[in-house]
């Protein structure tokens, strides 16, 4: 029996993630959006779902709120503010880097090592991934979706997982919906528009994304605001 050796790109991803987590993660909050996320997650963990449904952009980020609520459910009671912030930061960073590690491990032979290092050291990842944020929760689901599509683009299980992951990605942050057509095209067996449209997985991804979009609007208790009248 041959032992499967972890590839250099996968090891590099794990090393950067571990070192960066040890250096940077703490009970720190970066912005008010994160405070809303912690507040809503705390409400869900305490069984006060309406508290989260009234929070900022719940219609566009409800999966992120439930993700944080699930994390807080696992923390010891009574809740302490520093522990909540730290727990959210650790969970968010672990989910993002773990999803990236899984994707890199599955596609290591196709990914040039130098390209991967450039991606891993992108300032956006290094500066912002230590903080709990809807963008990193959403992109973690996108990375898992890319992993699923890359393994077997046309299988029945792939279709079900694509539906669920598309729902979670868009539910975690609605603007992830703009990434889904690109993923569908990149993972099509034939690189033409007609083949993408004929693939049932494409329509399952669209169904999951639209279900998340409309469900979020249904669940929110606040007036829906899709754009700012005056840019800030």
């Amino acid at each position: 029996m041959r032992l499967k050796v972890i590839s250099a790109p996968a090891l590099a991803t794990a090393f950067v993630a571990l070192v960066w987590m040890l250096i940077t993660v703490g009970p720190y909050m970066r912005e008010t959006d994160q405070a809303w996320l912690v507040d809503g997650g705390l409400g869900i963990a305490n069984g006060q779902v309406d508290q989260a449904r009234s929070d900022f952009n719940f219609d566009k980020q409800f999966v992120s709120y439930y993700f944080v609520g699930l994390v807080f459910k696992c923390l010891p009671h009574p809740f302490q503010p520093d522990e909540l912030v730290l727990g959210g930061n650790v969970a968010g960073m672990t989910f993002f880097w773990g999803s990236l590690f899984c994707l890199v491990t599955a596609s290591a032979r196709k990914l040039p090592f130098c390209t991967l290092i450039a991606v891993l050291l992108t300032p956006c990842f290094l500066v912002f991934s230590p903080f709990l944020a809807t963008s990193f929760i959403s992109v973690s689901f996108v990375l898992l979706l890319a992993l699923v599509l890359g393994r077997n683009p046309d299988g029945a299980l792939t279709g079900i997982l694509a539906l669920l992951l598309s729902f979670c990605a868009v539910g975690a942050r609605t603007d992830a919906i703009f990434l889904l057509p690109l993923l569908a095209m990149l993972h099509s067996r034939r690189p033409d528009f007609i083949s993408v449209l004929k693939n049932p997985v494409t329509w399952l991804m669209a169904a999951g994304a639209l279900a998340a979009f409309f469900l979020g609007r249904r669940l929110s208790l606040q007036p829906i605001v899709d754009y700012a009248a005056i840019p800030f």
Side-chain angles (χ1 to χ4, degrees):
M1 183 177 70
R2 295 179 59 186
L3 294 176
K4 187 175 181 179
V5 180
I6 299 179
S7 63
L11 286 174
T13 304
F15 177 77
V16 171
L18 180 61
V19 170
W20 202 239
M21 181 177 288
L22 292 174
I23 292 175
T24 62
V25 172
Y28 314 122
M29 194 170 295
R30 187 180 71 88
E31 58 181 4
T32 54
D33 286 14
Q34 184 178 352
W36 282 112
L37 198 54
V38 170
D39 178 76
L42 180 60
I44 292 173
N46 287 330
Q48 301 169 349
V49 179
D50 284 354
Q51 176 181 329
R53 293 175 65 189
S54 301
D55 277 340
F56 175 73
N57 270 352
F58 181 83
D59 62 303
K60 301 173 182 66
Q61 303 172 351
F62 69 96
V63 169
S64 291
Y65 280 99
Y66 278 101
F67 172 85
V68 177
L70 179 61
V71 170
F72 289 171
K73 273 278 191 183
C74 300
L75 296 180
H77 293 59
F79 295 121
Q80 299 297 324
D82 284 356
E83 293 175 357
L84 290 176
V85 177
L86 176 61
N89 287 345
V90 171
M93 191 172 188
T94 301
F95 188 32
F96 168 70
W97 286 99
S99 301
L100 182 60
F101 174 80
C102 291
L103 180 61
V104 170
T105 301
S107 58
R109 295 182 179 179
K110 306 173 186 177
L111 192 63
F113 186 73
C114 292
T115 301
L116 175 68
I117 293 299
V119 171
L120 295 179
L121 299 182
T122 300
C124 177
F125 290 168
L126 297 183
V127 174
F128 297 116
S129 65
F131 301 98
L132 178 65
T134 58
S135 55
F136 282 96
I137 296 173
S138 179
V139 79
S140 299
F141 286 116
V142 171
L143 292 172
L144 294 177
L145 176 58
L147 170 61
V148 168
L149 294 176
R151 299 302 292 266
N152 184 11
D154 301 323
L157 179 60
T158 297
I160 296 172
L161 291 175
L163 173 72
L164 295 175
L165 290 171
S166 297
F167 175 89
C168 290
V170 175
R173 188 179 173 99
T174 302
D175 49 8
I177 199 169
F178 296 114
L179 286 172
L180 300 188
L182 176 62
L183 281 179
M185 288 186 287
L186 287 175
H187 291 92
S188 176
R189 292 194 180 277
R190 298 180 61 185
D192 61 86
F193 187 67
I194 300 300
S195 296
V196 174
L197 290 180
K198 286 183 177 179
N199 189 345
V201 175
T202 299
W203 296 102
L204 288 170
M205 290 169 60
L210 292 174
F213 177 81
F214 288 110
L215 180 60
R217 300 171 84 87
R218 180 73 175 175
L219 291 175
S220 180
L221 297 179
Q222 289 289 338
I224 305 300
V225 179
D226 290 323
Y227 63 93
I230 302 176
F232 57 87

